[in-house]
């Protein structure tokens, strides 16, 4: 069949400037891919590129014509395995660009079959989870104000960004305004192994669920040093990119933080989830700052997860796409009344 493809860039302001240990952003540039079949059915997919992994909106735009040519050459969106292999042969890196194509194909295929994506996979929508909502780094009082706003909006699982010399004060302040919220922290590689151990010992007083990426990904021994000494579970994010990383991190952490934009597509994400389980790890699905053109697809994997950190669209001032409903942060697949990933233009 003939498949018509296109893509466009959206520059989306964030609700708040978003600061992590590595820097601050006020907007996110995402790319939306559309793949249309000869009946006029359109699959939508999004790329939320991350400079930390070598991608920008410009690199996504640079490789998408070659990736979409593969899709047009194969000409059958149901040939997901063959297309995926050829996408990886075309650009080995650029995982966010490949992910946008992967999502658009899955959206198109399941719209053609008139099924929500989770039903195509046979997943149980009643196994829903609440997404965590991220509070970016700021002074402790501002982070406390944002926490109160988040609680007012109904969120009850919060992720705090850390990686400063005020980390203990930040967590203490947040706990004073949100004593009952489920809380975890993400240092984004900012600590040395010894710093991490001493901070985590002090943070253990504040009933955190776990600590994400305490030390740099290029120090795997440091991650093991911390995990062996930590009184609470450790999640690996920057240390956990593709399925090949899962065996490497298996004895160095407790939770694998998998992201579509790191791994290159929905099929690779599923392989990572199953590999992580086989290695005794718990599974979190995370995200970048992304629109619902990609977050909606990630939400479809929720029944396979222990933790969902899928607040990418919630951090935007305005998302041009609607996705899977998240009342009070609960990813509600059961109420999705449309085929595909659930992403739909909202303007
Ligand atoms: Mg992280």
């Amino acid at each position: 069949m003939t498949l018509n493809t296109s893509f466009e860039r959206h520059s989306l302001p964030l609700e708040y400037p978003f600061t992590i240990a590595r820097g601050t952003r006020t907007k996110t540039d995402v790319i939306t891919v559309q793949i249309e079949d000869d009946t006029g059915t359109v699959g939508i997919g999004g790329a939320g590129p991350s400079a930390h992994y070598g991608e920008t909106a410009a690199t996504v735009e640079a490789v998408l014509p070659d990736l979409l040519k593969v899709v047009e050459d194969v000409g059958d969106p149901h040939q997901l395995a063959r297309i995926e292999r050829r996408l990886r042969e075309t650009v080995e890196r650029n995982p966010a660009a490949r992910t946008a194509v992967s999502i658009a194909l899955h959206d198109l295929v399941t719209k053609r079959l008139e099924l929500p994506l989770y039903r195509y996979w046979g997943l149980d929508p009643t196994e829903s989870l609440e997404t965590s909502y991220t509070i970016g780094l700021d002074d402790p009082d501002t982070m406390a104000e944002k926490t109160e706003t988040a609680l007012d909006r109904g969120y009850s699982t919060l992720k705090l960004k850390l990686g400063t010399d005020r980390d203990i004060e930040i967590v203490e302040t947040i706990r004073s305004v949100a004593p009952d919220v489920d809380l975890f922290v993400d240092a984004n590689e900012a600590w040395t192994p010894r710093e991490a151990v001493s901070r985590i010992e002090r943070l253990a007083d504040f009933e955190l669920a776990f600590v994400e990426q305490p030390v740099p990904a290029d120090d795997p021994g440091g991650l093991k040093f911390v995990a062996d000494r930590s009184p609470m579970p450790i999640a690996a994010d920057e240390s956990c990119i593709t399925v090949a990383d899962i065996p490497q991190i298996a004895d160095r952490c407790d939770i694998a933080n998998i992201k579509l934009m790191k791994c290159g597509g929905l099929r690779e994400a599923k392989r990572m989830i199953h590999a992580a389980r086989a290695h005794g790890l718990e599974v979190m699905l995370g995200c970048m700052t992304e629109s619902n053109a990609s977050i909606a697809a990630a939400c479809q994997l929720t029944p396979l997860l222990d933790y969902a950190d899928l607040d990418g669209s919630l951090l935007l001032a305005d998302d041009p796409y609607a996705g899977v409903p998240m009342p009070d942060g609960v990813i509600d697949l059961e109420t999705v009344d449309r085929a595909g990933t659930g992403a739909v233009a909202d303007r």
Side-chain angles (χ1 to χ4, degrees):
M1 78 184 79
T2 304
L3 295 174
N4 287 307
T5 66
S6 62
F7 60 89
E8 63 177 319
R9 187 196 293 216
H10 301 271
S11 188
L12 304 176
L14 305 179
E15 182 180 16
Y16 305 115
F18 189 68
T19 301
I20 68 169
R22 282 188 287 270
T24 298
R25 283 177 305 121
T26 57
K27 67 180 181 79
T28 188
D29 281 2
V30 300
I31 312 293
T32 307
V33 167
Q34 298 203 348
I35 303 175
E36 181 176 358
D37 73 5
D38 46 18
T39 72
T41 303
V42 179
I44 296 167
S50 166
H52 182 70
Y53 299 101
E55 284 185 288
T56 62
T59 67
V60 172
E61 288 172 323
V63 298
L64 273 175
D66 289 343
L67 296 176
L68 293 172
K69 183 169 186 309
V70 168
V71 172
E72 291 176 3
D73 284 351
V74 173
D76 176 0
H78 297 270
Q79 292 266 12
L80 293 164
R82 194 202 302 177
I83 294 172
E84 177 187 87
R85 188 183 65 241
R86 288 194 45 192
L87 294 179
R88 203 185 294 114
E89 288 166 1
T90 303
V91 286
E92 190 190 338
R93 299 187 179 192
N94 308 84
R98 283 186 285 122
T99 292
V101 177
S102 166
I103 294 172
L105 286 166
H106 282 80
D107 190 44
L108 175 59
V109 162
T110 48
K111 281 174 173 164
R112 288 166 56 86
L113 297 171
E114 299 181 358
L115 289 174
L117 181 52
Y118 75 83
R119 277 181 60 76
Y120 174 70
W121 287 330
L123 302 181
D124 180 356
T126 65
E127 293 186 28
S128 64
L129 283 175
E130 182 183 331
T131 182
S132 41
Y133 177 83
T134 305
I135 308 292
L137 267 176
D138 213 316
D139 66 80
D141 289 340
T142 305
M143 289 178 75
E145 276 170 36
K146 288 178 185 171
T147 296
E148 286 175 324
T149 303
L151 297 178
D152 287 345
R153 290 177 187 177
Y155 303 128
S156 54
T157 304
L158 300 182
K159 163 169 169 168
L160 301 180
K161 291 294 191 180
L162 295 183
T164 71
D165 50 14
R166 302 177 77 180
D167 286 341
I168 307 298
E169 185 189 351
I170 288 169
V171 177
E172 192 171 19
T173 307
I174 300 307
R175 259 300 174 227
S176 71
V177 299
D180 301 321
V181 81
D182 285 336
L183 202 59
F184 67 100
V185 298
D186 184 357
N188 286 109
E189 312 183 285
W191 301 329
T192 67
R194 285 184 190 286
E195 255 172 14
V197 169
S198 74
R199 286 196 196 191
I200 290 170
E201 275 170 10
R202 294 187 61 196
L203 291 173
D205 294 341
F206 300 102
E207 291 187 59
L208 305 181
F210 56 89
V211 176
E212 187 176 326
Q213 197 69 42
V215 298
D218 63 8
D219 182 8
L223 187 61
K224 181 160 175 54
F225 178 88
V226 176
D228 285 348
R229 288 158 183 78
S230 171
M232 53 186 136
I234 300 293
D237 177 1
E238 286 86 342
S239 298
C240 174
I241 300 169
T242 68
V243 71
D245 295 313
I246 297 289
Q248 309 295 323
I249 62 168
D251 67 345
R252 295 175 186 144
C253 68
D254 306 282
I255 302 163
N257 185 353
I258 296 162
K259 295 180 183 171
L260 295 176
M261 299 304 156
K262 295 188 293 188
C263 75
L266 287 162
R267 289 163 53 85
E268 175 77 355
K270 287 184 80 186
R271 283 190 287 269
M272 289 185 76
I273 291 169
H274 298 310
R277 292 237 177 273
H279 283 86
L281 295 169
E282 287 197 300
V283 177
M284 170 159 64
L285 192 66
C287 63
M288 308 300 177
T289 45
E290 304 169 30
S291 83
N292 270 314
S294 47
I295 293 291
C299 288
Q300 302 282 329
L301 289 163
T302 304
L304 296 175
L305 310 176
D306 300 294
Y307 305 96
D309 184 24
L310 297 176
D311 61 351
S313 168
L314 303 176
L315 301 175
L316 304 178
D318 192 21
D319 190 338
Y321 292 89
V324 174
M326 293 189 193
D328 294 337
V330 177
I331 299 165
D332 195 356
L333 285 177
E334 268 191 294
T335 63
V336 177
D337 58 357
R338 47 187 179 262
T341 66
V344 61
D346 200 23
R347 283 182 189 141

